[in-house]
Amino acid sequence: MTTAAPHKREEQVDRIAWAKSLILFGMGIYLTLLILTGNLDNYINQRFAWLAGVGALLFFALGLTTLYRSLNPKRHEHEHHHYHISWDIILVVAFPLLLAILIPSRSLGIEAVNGGVSLNPVGVANLARSPLDRNILDWLREFDRASTPAQFNGTSVDVVGFVYREPIHPQDGFMLARFTMSCCVADAFPIGMPIIAAGAEEYAAGDWLRVKGQLKASAFGGDFLPVVFADAIKVVDEPRQPYLYP
């Protein structure tokens, strides 16, 4: 009776150690797959991608260390008494990994817009870009530094975004929106440019469009601002990188 209990406890600890190793390796593999497939961009700014690589290496290192200790229980027997982890903690830690596996990776879309689309830019205008190379964020920065909305009248625009509508928008208009991301999806927020187009009602909310047209200062949604009067609209696939970075 005196030897059965320690043996049972050692077997329990060994199983927990294997479970810990499996979770750690799983996290490392998950981060590695996000990096290799490009899906990491759905969650964090590209300039912080190296942190995910470091994280994956750390998970693999911790997994190997835990596995090594479980295969050499006598050498690390004293550690079981100080660092014993119960199954409920293992399950809590494993739950986020399970969700990550079951829920497909995707970028934020119109369903994540809460409270409207902002017309306020982030950062400083990139004066080096020609008008036809500017994205929605670039244009909002330009509008912000302009002395008058009419300053851009007649300027050609070629932008990509998804359709967003509010009740105050005109029937032949909508906002062409994108999400900006400074660090990760937690700080992402939607911005947009007003569009006026014949047949605007044909495009569903959330559709990704490429809009070409001319800017003209006009009333839109109760404001007077630069508005894109579309000459050509094309339905497109969501860009490989849907976010704009300040």
Side-chain angles (χ1 to χ4, degrees):
M1 296 293 294
T2 57
T3 59
H7 176 74
K8 185 175 182 180
R9 181 177 180 181
E10 181 178 337
E11 182 180 354
Q12 174 80 352
V13 171
D14 185 65
R15 290 178 180 177
I16 289 177
W18 278 93
K20 286 168 56 180
S21 299
L22 183 62
I23 293 172
L24 289 167
F25 283 127
M27 291 298 296
I29 293 171
Y30 178 70
L31 285 178
T32 301
L33 289 176
L34 285 180
I35 295 170
L36 294 178
T37 59
N39 287 331
L40 185 65
D41 294 344
N42 291 335
Y43 304 110
I44 64 173
N45 191 311
Q46 292 174 324
R47 65 174 178 266
F48 301 122
W50 65 273
L51 291 174
V54 172
L57 291 176
L58 288 176
F59 278 125
F60 285 128
L62 290 172
L64 288 171
T65 301
T66 304
L67 183 61
Y68 172 75
R69 289 176 175 175
S70 67
L71 295 175
N72 297 270
K74 291 185 178 180
R75 179 174 297 183
H76 306 280
E77 183 177 358
H78 65 284
E79 298 179 1
H80 294 323
H81 302 287
H82 299 286
Y83 303 105
H84 178 65
I85 297 178
S86 60
W87 280 108
D88 56 346
I89 296 178
I90 291 291
L91 293 175
V92 169
V93 175
F95 185 67
L97 177 61
L98 180 63
L99 288 180
I101 294 172
L102 295 178
I103 300 176
S105 173
R106 56 169 299 183
S107 62
L108 296 178
I110 190 171
E111 67 281 352
V113 177
N114 184 17
V117 171
S118 175
L119 292 168
N120 297 319
V122 177
V124 181
N126 187 342
L127 301 179
R129 290 184 178 173
S130 65
L132 291 178
D133 292 330
R134 293 171 188 161
N135 57 42
I136 292 174
L137 179 57
D138 293 329
W139 278 115
L140 292 187
R141 289 169 172 169
E142 294 288 342
F143 298 159
D144 186 62
R145 61 187 293 271
S147 57
T148 172
Q151 179 176 326
F152 302 96
N153 284 357
T155 305
S156 296
V157 172
D158 185 351
V159 286
V160 174
F162 61 85
V163 177
Y164 174 77
R165 289 190 177 89
E166 292 184 5
I168 61 173
H169 293 166
Q171 186 175 358
D172 60 347
F174 55 83
M175 295 291 287
L176 194 67
R178 295 283 289 267
F179 276 92
T180 64
M181 182 195 293
S182 297
C183 177
C184 61
V185 290
D187 61 33
F189 73 97
I191 59 174
M193 293 178 68
I195 308 292
I196 295 293
E201 67 281 356
E202 299 176 5
Y203 304 104
D207 282 352
W208 280 88
L209 306 177
R210 180 178 183 181
V211 177
K212 297 180 181 181
Q214 308 288 320
L215 286 169
K216 181 181 178 182
S218 181
F220 188 97
D223 295 315
F224 189 76
L225 67 168
V227 176
V228 180
F229 284 77
D231 298 323
I233 297 181
K234 180 181 179 181
V235 178
V236 297
D237 294 330
E238 179 180 309
R240 178 67 187 83
Q241 180 45 262
Y243 301 118
L244 300 177
Y245 301 111

mmCIF file of all heavy atoms in Angstrom, residues 148-183:
data_model
loop_
_atom_site.group_PDB
_atom_site.id
_atom_site.type_symbol
_atom_site.label_atom_id
_atom_site.label_comp_id
_atom_site.label_asym_id
_atom_site.label_seq_id
_atom_site.Cartn_x
_atom_site.Cartn_y
_atom_site.Cartn_z
ATOM 1 N N THR A 148 -8.758 73.498 -47.797
ATOM 2 C CA THR A 148 -10.166 73.476 -48.168
ATOM 3 C C THR A 148 -10.482 72.170 -48.883
ATOM 4 O O THR A 148 -9.626 71.622 -49.599
ATOM 5 C CB THR A 148 -10.513 74.663 -49.096
ATOM 6 O OG1 THR A 148 -11.850 74.508 -49.589
ATOM 7 C CG2 THR A 148 -9.553 74.742 -50.261
ATOM 8 N N PRO A 149 -11.701 71.628 -48.718
ATOM 9 C CA PRO A 149 -12.068 70.389 -49.420
ATOM 10 C C PRO A 149 -11.986 70.504 -50.935
ATOM 11 O O PRO A 149 -11.762 69.510 -51.628
ATOM 12 C CB PRO A 149 -13.511 70.142 -48.965
ATOM 13 C CG PRO A 149 -13.627 70.845 -47.665
ATOM 14 C CD PRO A 149 -12.766 72.068 -47.795
ATOM 15 N N ALA A 150 -12.170 71.726 -51.468
ATOM 16 C CA ALA A 150 -12.152 71.922 -52.917
ATOM 17 C C ALA A 150 -10.745 71.857 -53.501
ATOM 18 O O ALA A 150 -10.576 71.884 -54.721
ATOM 19 C CB ALA A 150 -12.802 73.254 -53.273
ATOM 20 N N GLN A 151 -9.743 71.762 -52.646
ATOM 21 C CA GLN A 151 -8.357 71.751 -53.108
ATOM 22 C C GLN A 151 -8.064 70.580 -54.048
ATOM 23 O O GLN A 151 -7.206 70.673 -54.914
ATOM 24 C CB GLN A 151 -7.416 71.689 -51.901
ATOM 25 C CG GLN A 151 -5.937 71.650 -52.246
ATOM 26 C CD GLN A 151 -5.071 71.678 -50.997
ATOM 27 O OE1 GLN A 151 -5.425 72.318 -50.004
ATOM 28 N NE2 GLN A 151 -3.934 70.995 -51.048
ATOM 29 N N PHE A 152 -8.822 69.479 -53.905
ATOM 30 C CA PHE A 152 -8.548 68.277 -54.685
ATOM 31 C C PHE A 152 -9.517 68.089 -55.845
ATOM 32 O O PHE A 152 -9.528 67.022 -56.479
ATOM 33 C CB PHE A 152 -8.596 67.046 -53.771
ATOM 34 C CG PHE A 152 -7.621 67.108 -52.630
ATOM 35 C CD1 PHE A 152 -8.034 67.554 -51.375
ATOM 36 C CD2 PHE A 152 -6.297 66.759 -52.811
ATOM 37 C CE1 PHE A 152 -7.133 67.621 -50.331
ATOM 38 C CE2 PHE A 152 -5.394 66.820 -51.763
ATOM 39 C CZ PHE A 152 -5.817 67.254 -50.524
ATOM 40 N N ASN A 153 -10.348 69.064 -56.114
ATOM 41 C CA ASN A 153 -11.321 68.942 -57.200
ATOM 42 C C ASN A 153 -10.633 68.559 -58.508
ATOM 43 O O ASN A 153 -9.654 69.197 -58.924
ATOM 44 C CB ASN A 153 -12.075 70.250 -57.394
ATOM 45 C CG ASN A 153 -13.132 70.459 -56.321
ATOM 46 O OD1 ASN A 153 -13.337 69.604 -55.468
ATOM 47 N ND2 ASN A 153 -13.804 71.607 -56.354
ATOM 48 N N GLY A 154 -11.164 67.511 -59.138
ATOM 49 C CA GLY A 154 -10.629 67.066 -60.421
ATOM 50 C C GLY A 154 -9.467 66.105 -60.318
ATOM 51 O O GLY A 154 -8.998 65.593 -61.343
ATOM 52 N N THR A 155 -8.988 65.791 -59.098
ATOM 53 C CA THR A 155 -7.872 64.859 -58.929
ATOM 54 C C THR A 155 -8.350 63.424 -59.109
ATOM 55 O O THR A 155 -9.380 63.027 -58.556
ATOM 56 C CB THR A 155 -7.240 65.019 -57.540
ATOM 57 O OG1 THR A 155 -6.865 66.377 -57.336
ATOM 58 C CG2 THR A 155 -6.011 64.127 -57.405
ATOM 59 N N SER A 156 -7.615 62.649 -59.868
ATOM 60 C CA SER A 156 -7.988 61.248 -60.114
ATOM 61 C C SER A 156 -7.649 60.375 -58.911
ATOM 62 O O SER A 156 -6.637 60.575 -58.236
ATOM 63 C CB SER A 156 -7.269 60.716 -61.349
ATOM 64 O OG SER A 156 -7.681 61.417 -62.507
ATOM 65 N N VAL A 157 -8.520 59.389 -58.673
ATOM 66 C CA VAL A 157 -8.387 58.484 -57.530
ATOM 67 C C VAL A 157 -8.535 57.049 -58.004
ATOM 68 O O VAL A 157 -9.347 56.757 -58.895
ATOM 69 C CB VAL A 157 -9.468 58.803 -56.467
ATOM 70 C CG1 VAL A 157 -9.476 57.753 -55.378
ATOM 71 C CG2 VAL A 157 -9.240 60.179 -55.880
ATOM 72 N N ASP A 158 -7.737 56.151 -57.398
ATOM 73 C CA ASP A 158 -7.841 54.715 -57.675
ATOM 74 C C ASP A 158 -7.620 53.991 -56.354
ATOM 75 O O ASP A 158 -6.490 53.836 -55.895
ATOM 76 C CB ASP A 158 -6.788 54.303 -58.707
ATOM 77 C CG ASP A 158 -6.921 52.841 -59.139
ATOM 78 O OD1 ASP A 158 -7.719 52.106 -58.524
ATOM 79 O OD2 ASP A 158 -6.213 52.442 -60.083
ATOM 80 N N VAL A 159 -8.719 53.582 -55.707
ATOM 81 C CA VAL A 159 -8.629 53.013 -54.357
ATOM 82 C C VAL A 159 -9.407 51.710 -54.252
ATOM 83 O O VAL A 159 -10.328 51.445 -55.028
ATOM 84 C CB VAL A 159 -9.146 54.010 -53.296
ATOM 85 C CG1 VAL A 159 -8.150 55.128 -53.074
ATOM 86 C CG2 VAL A 159 -10.510 54.575 -53.691
ATOM 87 N N VAL A 160 -9.024 50.914 -53.259
ATOM 88 C CA VAL A 160 -9.657 49.617 -53.009
ATOM 89 C C VAL A 160 -10.140 49.571 -51.565
ATOM 90 O O VAL A 160 -9.450 50.016 -50.645
ATOM 91 C CB VAL A 160 -8.666 48.463 -53.259
ATOM 92 C CG1 VAL A 160 -9.281 47.118 -52.849
ATOM 93 C CG2 VAL A 160 -8.246 48.429 -54.719
ATOM 94 N N GLY A 161 -11.341 49.043 -51.366
ATOM 95 C CA GLY A 161 -11.890 48.905 -50.022
ATOM 96 C C GLY A 161 -13.202 48.133 -50.071
ATOM 97 O O GLY A 161 -13.624 47.674 -51.130
ATOM 98 N N PHE A 162 -13.840 48.008 -48.918
ATOM 99 C CA PHE A 162 -15.132 47.305 -48.885
ATOM 100 C C PHE A 162 -16.264 48.304 -48.641
ATOM 101 O O PHE A 162 -16.071 49.373 -48.062
ATOM 102 C CB PHE A 162 -15.144 46.184 -47.843
ATOM 103 C CG PHE A 162 -14.924 46.621 -46.417
ATOM 104 C CD1 PHE A 162 -15.992 47.073 -45.630
ATOM 105 C CD2 PHE A 162 -13.660 46.558 -45.849
ATOM 106 C CE1 PHE A 162 -15.796 47.463 -44.318
ATOM 107 C CE2 PHE A 162 -13.453 46.945 -44.531
ATOM 108 C CZ PHE A 162 -14.523 47.398 -43.767
ATOM 109 N N VAL A 163 -17.449 47.938 -49.078
ATOM 110 C CA VAL A 163 -18.624 48.816 -49.007
ATOM 111 C C VAL A 163 -19.172 48.871 -47.589
ATOM 112 O O VAL A 163 -19.382 47.837 -46.945
ATOM 113 C CB VAL A 163 -19.723 48.321 -49.971
ATOM 114 C CG1 VAL A 163 -20.976 49.189 -49.840
ATOM 115 C CG2 VAL A 163 -19.230 48.316 -51.407
ATOM 116 N N TYR A 164 -19.400 50.089 -47.125
ATOM 117 C CA TYR A 164 -20.034 50.293 -45.821
ATOM 118 C C TYR A 164 -21.083 51.389 -45.973
ATOM 119 O O TYR A 164 -20.824 52.436 -46.558
ATOM 120 C CB TYR A 164 -19.014 50.697 -44.760
ATOM 121 C CG TYR A 164 -19.645 51.058 -43.431
ATOM 122 C CD1 TYR A 164 -20.105 50.067 -42.575
ATOM 123 C CD2 TYR A 164 -19.812 52.393 -43.061
ATOM 124 C CE1 TYR A 164 -20.693 50.387 -41.367
ATOM 125 C CE2 TYR A 164 -20.401 52.723 -41.845
ATOM 126 C CZ TYR A 164 -20.844 51.713 -41.008
ATOM 127 O OH TYR A 164 -21.436 52.037 -39.819
ATOM 128 N N ARG A 165 -22.270 51.128 -45.426
ATOM 129 C CA ARG A 165 -23.372 52.093 -45.553
ATOM 130 C C ARG A 165 -23.962 52.437 -44.193
ATOM 131 O O ARG A 165 -23.978 51.607 -43.275
ATOM 132 C CB ARG A 165 -24.490 51.528 -46.438
ATOM 133 C CG ARG A 165 -24.152 51.441 -47.913
ATOM 134 C CD ARG A 165 -25.397 51.103 -48.720
ATOM 135 N NE ARG A 165 -25.127 51.079 -50.145
ATOM 136 C CZ ARG A 165 -24.730 50.000 -50.804
ATOM 137 N NH1 ARG A 165 -24.573 48.856 -50.154
ATOM 138 N NH2 ARG A 165 -24.500 50.060 -52.105
ATOM 139 N N GLU A 166 -24.466 53.669 -44.115
ATOM 140 C CA GLU A 166 -25.242 54.123 -42.973
ATOM 141 C C GLU A 166 -26.516 54.792 -43.495
ATOM 142 O O GLU A 166 -26.554 55.241 -44.656
ATOM 143 C CB GLU A 166 -24.437 55.119 -42.133
ATOM 144 C CG GLU A 166 -23.245 54.497 -41.414
ATOM 145 C CD GLU A 166 -22.543 55.498 -40.518
ATOM 146 O OE1 GLU A 166 -23.041 56.638 -40.397
ATOM 147 O OE2 GLU A 166 -21.498 55.145 -39.952
ATOM 148 N N PRO A 167 -27.565 54.873 -42.667
ATOM 149 C CA PRO A 167 -28.829 55.480 -43.123
ATOM 150 C C PRO A 167 -28.680 56.915 -43.614
ATOM 151 O O PRO A 167 -29.471 57.365 -44.460
ATOM 152 C CB PRO A 167 -29.714 55.414 -41.866
ATOM 153 C CG PRO A 167 -29.165 54.267 -41.080
ATOM 154 C CD PRO A 167 -27.691 54.290 -41.321
ATOM 155 N N ILE A 168 -27.685 57.653 -43.098
ATOM 156 C CA ILE A 168 -27.525 59.052 -43.498
ATOM 157 C C ILE A 168 -26.840 59.204 -44.858
ATOM 158 O O ILE A 168 -26.794 60.302 -45.416
ATOM 159 C CB ILE A 168 -26.731 59.838 -42.440
ATOM 160 C CG1 ILE A 168 -25.322 59.250 -42.275
ATOM 161 C CG2 ILE A 168 -27.470 59.873 -41.119
ATOM 162 C CD1 ILE A 168 -24.433 60.083 -41.367
ATOM 163 N N HIS A 169 -26.308 58.114 -45.401
ATOM 164 C CA HIS A 169 -25.643 58.195 -46.701
ATOM 165 C C HIS A 169 -26.665 58.350 -47.821
ATOM 166 O O HIS A 169 -27.778 57.806 -47.738
ATOM 167 C CB HIS A 169 -24.802 56.944 -46.950
ATOM 168 C CG HIS A 169 -23.633 56.819 -46.020
ATOM 169 N ND1 HIS A 169 -22.919 55.642 -45.873
ATOM 170 C CD2 HIS A 169 -23.040 57.721 -45.191
ATOM 171 C CE1 HIS A 169 -21.950 55.829 -45.005
ATOM 172 N NE2 HIS A 169 -22.003 57.078 -44.571
ATOM 173 N N PRO A 170 -26.313 59.053 -48.878
ATOM 174 C CA PRO A 170 -27.241 59.192 -50.015
ATOM 175 C C PRO A 170 -27.479 57.846 -50.690
ATOM 176 O O PRO A 170 -26.669 56.916 -50.566
ATOM 177 C CB PRO A 170 -26.502 60.162 -50.946
ATOM 178 C CG PRO A 170 -25.061 60.046 -50.574
ATOM 179 C CD PRO A 170 -25.042 59.770 -49.107
ATOM 180 N N GLN A 171 -28.574 57.744 -51.414
ATOM 181 C CA GLN A 171 -28.929 56.485 -52.057
ATOM 182 C C GLN A 171 -27.881 56.052 -53.076
ATOM 183 O O GLN A 171 -27.654 54.852 -53.267
ATOM 184 C CB GLN A 171 -30.304 56.612 -52.736
ATOM 185 C CG GLN A 171 -30.812 55.300 -53.312
ATOM 186 C CD GLN A 171 -32.221 55.438 -53.865
ATOM 187 O OE1 GLN A 171 -32.832 56.501 -53.777
ATOM 188 N NE2 GLN A 171 -32.753 54.370 -54.435
ATOM 189 N N ASP A 172 -27.249 57.013 -53.722
ATOM 190 C CA ASP A 172 -26.246 56.671 -54.724
ATOM 191 C C ASP A 172 -24.828 56.735 -54.144
ATOM 192 O O ASP A 172 -23.856 56.901 -54.885
ATOM 193 C CB ASP A 172 -26.348 57.612 -55.927
ATOM 194 C CG ASP A 172 -26.141 59.076 -55.541
ATOM 195 O OD1 ASP A 172 -26.172 59.382 -54.338
ATOM 196 O OD2 ASP A 172 -25.955 59.906 -56.460
ATOM 197 N N GLY A 173 -24.710 56.587 -52.825
ATOM 198 C CA GLY A 173 -23.401 56.688 -52.205
ATOM 199 C C GLY A 173 -23.163 55.638 -51.136
ATOM 200 O O GLY A 173 -24.082 54.978 -50.645
ATOM 201 N N PHE A 174 -21.903 55.491 -50.774
ATOM 202 C CA PHE A 174 -21.486 54.607 -49.686
ATOM 203 C C PHE A 174 -20.065 54.994 -49.289
ATOM 204 O O PHE A 174 -19.412 55.806 -49.958
ATOM 205 C CB PHE A 174 -21.537 53.129 -50.114
ATOM 206 C CG PHE A 174 -20.751 52.809 -51.359
ATOM 207 C CD1 PHE A 174 -19.375 52.574 -51.320
ATOM 208 C CD2 PHE A 174 -21.392 52.732 -52.593
ATOM 209 C CE1 PHE A 174 -18.657 52.278 -52.467
ATOM 210 C CE2 PHE A 174 -20.678 52.435 -53.755
ATOM 211 C CZ PHE A 174 -19.312 52.206 -53.696
ATOM 212 N N MET A 175 -19.592 54.420 -48.209
ATOM 213 C CA MET A 175 -18.211 54.602 -47.795
ATOM 214 C C MET A 175 -17.393 53.417 -48.281
ATOM 215 O O MET A 175 -17.818 52.260 -48.163
ATOM 216 C CB MET A 175 -18.106 54.701 -46.271
ATOM 217 C CG MET A 175 -18.776 55.925 -45.679
ATOM 218 S SD MET A 175 -17.930 57.464 -46.075
ATOM 219 C CE MET A 175 -16.498 57.332 -45.022
ATOM 220 N N LEU A 176 -16.231 53.703 -48.850
ATOM 221 C CA LEU A 176 -15.288 52.653 -49.213
ATOM 222 C C LEU A 176 -14.295 52.566 -48.059
ATOM 223 O O LEU A 176 -13.541 53.514 -47.810
ATOM 224 C CB LEU A 176 -14.577 52.984 -50.523
ATOM 225 C CG LEU A 176 -13.829 51.827 -51.178
ATOM 226 C CD1 LEU A 176 -14.812 50.768 -51.673
ATOM 227 C CD2 LEU A 176 -12.967 52.322 -52.335
ATOM 228 N N ALA A 177 -14.304 51.452 -47.347
ATOM 229 C CA ALA A 177 -13.625 51.373 -46.057
ATOM 230 C C ALA A 177 -12.472 50.368 -46.057
ATOM 231 O O ALA A 177 -12.425 49.430 -46.854
ATOM 232 C CB ALA A 177 -14.627 50.996 -44.971
ATOM 233 N N ARG A 178 -11.545 50.608 -45.135
ATOM 234 C CA ARG A 178 -10.451 49.678 -44.826
ATOM 235 C C ARG A 178 -10.187 49.763 -43.325
ATOM 236 O O ARG A 178 -10.473 50.778 -42.691
ATOM 237 C CB ARG A 178 -9.166 50.052 -45.579
ATOM 238 C CG ARG A 178 -9.238 49.942 -47.071
ATOM 239 C CD ARG A 178 -9.151 48.504 -47.564
ATOM 240 N NE ARG A 178 -7.845 47.903 -47.409
ATOM 241 C CZ ARG A 178 -6.897 47.899 -48.354
ATOM 242 N NH1 ARG A 178 -7.117 48.520 -49.516
ATOM 243 N NH2 ARG A 178 -5.749 47.284 -48.161
ATOM 244 N N PHE A 179 -9.623 48.722 -42.765
ATOM 245 C CA PHE A 179 -9.172 48.751 -41.378
ATOM 246 C C PHE A 179 -7.699 49.134 -41.329
ATOM 247 O O PHE A 179 -6.898 48.642 -42.127
ATOM 248 C CB PHE A 179 -9.351 47.388 -40.711
ATOM 249 C CG PHE A 179 -10.728 47.151 -40.159
ATOM 250 C CD1 PHE A 179 -11.692 46.531 -40.934
ATOM 251 C CD2 PHE A 179 -11.051 47.549 -38.868
ATOM 252 C CE1 PHE A 179 -12.962 46.315 -40.431
ATOM 253 C CE2 PHE A 179 -12.318 47.339 -38.365
ATOM 254 C CZ PHE A 179 -13.279 46.723 -39.138
ATOM 255 N N THR A 180 -7.351 50.008 -40.412
ATOM 256 C CA THR A 180 -5.944 50.291 -40.142
ATOM 257 C C THR A 180 -5.521 49.492 -38.914
ATOM 258 O O THR A 180 -6.338 49.181 -38.046
ATOM 259 C CB THR A 180 -5.695 51.782 -39.873
ATOM 260 O OG1 THR A 180 -6.371 52.170 -38.682
ATOM 261 C CG2 THR A 180 -6.174 52.632 -41.049
ATOM 262 N N MET A 181 -4.238 49.145 -38.846
ATOM 263 C CA MET A 181 -3.723 48.377 -37.723
ATOM 264 C C MET A 181 -2.364 48.921 -37.319
ATOM 265 O O MET A 181 -1.425 48.911 -38.114
ATOM 266 C CB MET A 181 -3.601 46.895 -38.094
ATOM 267 C CG MET A 181 -3.111 46.020 -36.938
ATOM 268 S SD MET A 181 -2.547 44.383 -37.480
ATOM 269 C CE MET A 181 -4.077 43.666 -38.045
ATOM 270 N N SER A 182 -2.270 49.400 -36.089
ATOM 271 C CA SER A 182 -0.996 49.904 -35.595
ATOM 272 C C SER A 182 -0.150 48.796 -35.005
ATOM 273 O O SER A 182 1.044 48.680 -35.287
ATOM 274 C CB SER A 182 -1.229 50.992 -34.533
ATOM 275 O OG SER A 182 -1.892 52.094 -35.091
ATOM 276 N N CYS A 183 -0.768 47.944 -34.188
ATOM 277 C CA CYS A 183 -0.044 46.860 -33.534
ATOM 278 C C CYS A 183 -0.680 45.510 -33.842
ATOM 279 O O CYS A 183 -0.034 44.632 -34.391
ATOM 280 C CB CYS A 183 -0.014 47.103 -32.020
ATOM 281 S SG CYS A 183 0.774 45.781 -31.075
#
